[in-house]
Structures are given as structure tokens and as C-alpha cells.
Amino acid sequence: MQYFFISFGVISFISILAIFALGFQTTQSFDQQFPQLFKQFIQTSLTEDVASALVIKQPLAMGVSIEQAEKSLLAAAEKNQLKLIHRESLDKTLSTKQTKQALSIFSFLPVAVSQQLLQQHPHFAAHLPFRMMLYQDLQGQAWIAMPNLPLLLHGFKQSANVQQLENLIAYEAMFKVLIASAYATE
């Protein structure tokens, strides 16, 4: 019985070392910011839920109406060269007699950026077009949200083009639109 526990301990120790080495080797091939972003993703997944971890959201500032936020969102998108290709208002479709919540989804496509990005990573097509949603939660708080693009961007395997990809993603433009909408500054 003693040999069983010793063997089990040795095998467990070797397995833990192998998992650590594999994890270390894997994370070395990703962008340097990926481990921190992934850590934040895991923390949000555990404290809230996975759906919350997959988005970046900002409440609308006090006094900013959904209409003002939408107007600012569209102006900021145009200013930041994000082409609006589709707008879907789902509030009438999803509202019931008990709940009436605002929900609009805006789809943007930075055409030249998308073409270059798809040449380097064809799988990125699953994430296009970039979307933003303007919605109201059950408590009546209005929000503007977008996918967690930094997590996706920094999850690419590291290459000479990582910095170029970061610029191509147009994350900064999307974030500027999100903030402009939340504070109705455009």
C-alpha cells in the first residue's frame, strides 16, 4: 500500500510539472497581455457569468437618454471610420406587456481593416462585423456594450504581425464610439 501512495505521488508530481510546462510554453506563444486578459475573463466568468466576461459594457451617464446615446454612437462611428452596415431594433420584437426594454444592435465594418485582417486570420470572419448594442436592463439602467475585442485580439498566436493586428482590429475606434455614446459627447 505504501508503494501505491509513493507511486501515486510521483506520478501526480510529474503530471503537475508537465501541465505547468505545457501551460508556460503555450502562453509564451501568445501576446504578452493575453495572460492578464484571460485572468480577467476567468475572474468575471466566476464572479458573474461567461456572457458578462465576453463583453465590455458601460452604463449611460446620468441624464443621457437612449436616443442621445444612439445619435452619439452613429456620429462617433462615422468620425472613427466605422461603416454602419446594419441596425436592428429588437425592443418591439422582444417586449411584452410586462416588460418593455430598449434593445438595438449596430453592426459596423471597417472595410479595409477587415480585408487585411481576414488575409492574416481567416477565422476572424466569425467575429465580423463588429457589433455594439444599446440596451436597457430589467432595472431600467441603459447600457452600451461591445464584444471583448482585446481578449480576442491578444489571443492570437504571437507573430511579427501582432502589433499590426492590434491596429487592424479597430478596437480603439470601437471603444471611442462606446464612450461617446455613453456620455453623449458627439
Side-chain angles (χ1 to χ4, degrees):
M1 189 64 131
Q2 181 180 9
Y3 292 115
F4 172 75
F5 286 116
I6 292 172
S7 299
F8 181 73
V10 169
I11 291 171
S12 297
F13 181 73
I14 291 171
S15 298
I16 290 170
L17 282 178
I19 290 170
F20 176 79
L22 256 168
F24 183 77
Q25 181 182 6
T26 301
T27 58
Q28 291 302 312
S29 64
F30 286 110
D31 182 296
Q32 292 178 354
Q33 293 181 14
F34 180 72
Q36 180 61 31
L37 290 165
F38 191 66
K39 176 184 171 188
Q40 290 171 347
F41 171 78
I42 295 298
Q43 287 174 334
T44 304
S45 296
L46 294 174
T47 58
E48 295 179 39
D49 53 39
V50 174
S52 296
L54 291 172
V55 298
I56 295 171
K57 63 182 183 176
Q58 176 72 35
L60 298 191
M62 185 71 74
V64 174
S65 70
I66 289 180
E67 293 77 20
Q68 291 169 318
E70 183 177 323
K71 184 178 176 185
S72 294
L73 182 145
L74 295 172
E78 186 175 326
K79 180 180 175 183
N80 286 282
Q81 301 175 341
L82 294 171
K83 182 180 178 182
L84 178 69
I85 60 170
H86 187 73
R87 179 189 184 277
E88 188 68 37
S89 182
L90 299 174
D91 45 336
K92 291 178 183 158
T93 305
L94 299 176
S95 292
T96 66
K97 290 181 182 179
Q98 295 84 8
T99 61
K100 184 172 179 146
Q101 295 172 266
L103 174 59
S104 293
I105 299 172
F106 303 84
S107 299
F108 298 102
L109 188 65
V111 179
V113 168
S114 299
Q115 291 169 343
Q116 293 174 19
L117 184 61
L118 290 172
Q119 287 174 356
Q120 293 184 27
H121 281 282
H123 296 125
F124 203 82
H127 305 286
L128 290 174
F130 298 141
R131 292 174 195 83
M132 293 191 119
M133 65 179 188
L134 189 55
Y135 69 99
Q136 194 171 21
D137 64 21
L138 293 173
Q139 291 73 37
Q141 173 66 53
W143 297 84
I144 181 79
M146 68 181 198
N148 189 342
L149 292 175
L151 179 66
L152 178 66
L153 168 68
H154 293 291
F156 283 116
K157 292 283 186 177
Q158 201 169 30
S159 70
N161 298 319
V162 168
Q163 186 61 43
Q164 184 182 6
L165 286 174
E166 186 171 36
N167 295 332
L168 293 177
I169 284 291
Y171 166 69
E172 280 188 32
M174 291 287 287
F175 193 72
K176 287 177 185 175
V177 171
L178 181 130
I179 296 302
S181 180
Y183 293 97
T185 57
E186 288 295 319

